[in-house]
Amino acid sequence: MFRKLLFLFLLAVIATPADAQIRKHQRKRSTNAGTLFFYWGYNRTAYSQSTIHFIGSDYDFTLKGVKATDKQPKFGANLYLNPANMTIPQYNFRIGYYFTEKWAFSLGVDHFNYVMSHDKEVTLDGHFDMGVDSLWEGNYNQETTAIDRNNFHYEHKALNYLRIELMRSFDVWEVGDKRQFAITGNVGLNLGPMLTTTNFLFANEQTDRSTALSGYGIGANASMRLEFFKHVFIQAEGGLAFAHLPGVKTRANDRNQRAKQAFGLASYNVSLGLMFYIKTKNGCDSCPHW
C-alpha cells in the first residue's frame, strides 16, 4: 500500500511542471471568456420601400412605395476624427464581453439617417380637410402622385438603433507564437428600440427636430475582424434588420400628429476596436493583461 501511495505522489510531482509548462504556453485568444471589447466605426445603409401612414387632427393619409437613402457626409478629418464631431456622420458603437468561450453579449448604437427620395412617384390614399395643405386637398384613392421637395419632406435626421446582441465567434486564422496576427469571424442576432429625430415638412410647416422612441428593430449580422497583437482590431461588418416604427412623432409640440412605417435595411460598416483581457482563465500567459 505504501509503495502505491509513493508511486502516485512521485507521478503527481513529475506531472505538475509539465502541466504548468503546457498552461504557460496556451495562447490568449480574443474569443476566450473574460475578453472585453469595444469598437467605433462608420456605415453606409440602404432601405427597402416603405408605406408611411401620416395622422393628424385634420388629415389622415398614406404614401405607398416611398423610397429613401442614407446621408453620409464626405470624409474630412475634422468631421470623422475630431471627437467633438464624430457623432455627426452615420456611426456604429459597441461594447461587449465574452461571457463564455466564443459567446459574447454586446450593447451599442447604430446611428443611421433616413431621407425620403423625391425623384420617384408614390401612391396616395387618404383625406385632407379643406385648407390644410396647398398641395393636396379632399379625398384620394390609390392615386399616383409626385412629391415636391419644396412642399413635402420626411426625414429621420437620426435613426438610432439601440441594440443588444448575442454573438458567436470563430477562430479563422492566426500567425505568430504569441498570436501576433489573427482573423476572427463573428455572427450575431440583435434587437432593441429605435429612437428617431424627424424632420417633417407638410402644410407649409417645417419641423426640424421631433424626437421620440418610435418603435423597435430586429436583425442579424456577420463580421470579420483582423486582430493585431491581441489588443487592436479592424473589423468589416454587414447586417440586415427590420425596423417597425408605429410611433414616429412628426411635430415636436403636437402629439396628435404622428406617422407609422416599417421597412427593411441593409448596412455595412468598417470599425476600429480594442480588446482587454480582464479574467484569469485557461493559463493565458499573464492574465489579466491590459
Side-chain angles (χ1 to χ4, degrees):
M1 182 68 181
F2 175 76
R3 290 182 179 179
K4 290 183 178 180
L5 292 175
L6 180 61
F7 174 76
L8 292 175
F9 173 77
L10 292 174
L11 184 63
V13 171
I14 294 171
T16 299
D19 179 68
Q21 188 71 12
I22 292 172
R23 290 173 62 83
K24 181 180 178 181
H25 288 90
Q26 284 183 338
R27 296 184 180 183
K28 184 186 304 178
R29 286 180 164 81
S30 61
T31 58
N32 288 151
T35 301
L36 178 71
F37 63 90
F38 70 89
Y39 64 83
W40 181 279
Y42 297 102
N43 68 74
R44 295 303 306 265
T45 308
Y47 302 100
S48 68
Q49 292 188 19
S50 178
T51 296
I52 310 176
H53 185 189
F54 295 93
I55 303 167
S57 58
D58 46 13
Y59 63 87
D60 189 324
F61 67 97
T62 299
L63 297 178
K64 300 178 181 179
V66 175
K67 294 185 177 182
T69 63
D70 67 353
K71 190 178 182 181
Q72 187 69 291
K74 292 183 179 179
F75 178 80
N78 185 54
L79 183 60
Y80 284 82
L81 303 180
N82 185 343
N85 299 324
M86 289 172 63
T87 58
I88 295 176
Q90 298 181 166
Y91 67 84
N92 304 79
F93 171 74
R94 294 288 185 284
I95 181 168
Y97 180 75
Y98 282 88
F99 61 91
T100 189
E101 186 78 9
K102 293 184 171 58
W103 287 92
F105 272 121
S106 69
L107 298 171
V109 56
D110 292 341
H111 172 71
F112 306 121
N113 296 125
Y114 178 99
V115 184
M116 172 185 281
S117 300
H118 296 88
D119 57 348
K120 302 295 182 181
E121 292 183 331
V122 297
T123 301
L124 173 63
D125 275 323
H127 170 77
F128 303 84
D129 287 354
M130 298 292 291
V132 171
D133 180 55
S134 59
L135 181 64
W136 295 315
E137 189 173 82
N139 296 313
Y140 293 82
N141 182 22
Q142 297 289 317
E143 296 191 26
T144 300
T145 184
I147 299 175
D148 183 354
R149 175 63 178 83
N150 296 319
N151 294 295
F152 187 91
H153 184 62
Y154 178 79
E155 172 184 347
H156 298 308
K157 300 177 74 171
L159 177 63
N160 292 322
Y161 182 19
L162 312 176
R163 50 186 268 173
I164 181 171
E165 180 172 292
L166 176 64
M167 184 176 75
R168 174 70 162 87
S169 296
F170 306 87
D171 296 319
V172 177
W173 175 82
E174 63 181 62
V175 63
D177 58 348
K178 293 186 177 180
R179 193 176 160 92
Q180 287 91 336
F181 301 98
I183 295 177
T184 300
N186 311 286
V187 293
L189 298 174
N190 52 78
L191 57 85
M194 289 275 191
L195 181 68
T196 59
T197 298
T198 305
N199 178 355
F200 186 49
L201 171 62
F202 170 66
N204 300 316
E205 182 181 351
Q206 175 84 50
T207 300
D208 287 327
R209 300 183 64 84
S210 183
T211 302
L213 195 62
S214 299
Y216 67 88
I218 183 169
N221 61 275
S223 64
M224 194 74 71
R225 68 187 185 215
L226 177 60
E227 303 168 8
F228 303 90
F229 304 103
K230 296 184 288 190
H231 286 287
V232 180
F233 65 89
I234 297 173
Q235 178 174 281
E237 181 179 55
L240 299 173
F242 171 76
H244 182 225
L245 308 178
V248 178
K249 193 175 181 180
T250 54
R251 302 296 189 198
N253 300 317
D254 187 352
R255 294 184 178 180
N256 292 323
Q257 298 195 61
R258 60 193 187 277
K260 301 179 181 180
Q261 69 174 139
F263 54 86
L265 64 90
S267 68
Y268 69 89
N269 67 79
V270 177
S271 305
L272 177 66
L274 295 174
M275 295 176 292
F276 301 98
Y277 304 87
I278 62 175
K279 184 177 180 181
T280 302
K281 192 169 183 179
N282 298 332
C284 55
D285 302 326
S286 58
C287 293
H289 182 59
W290 299 88

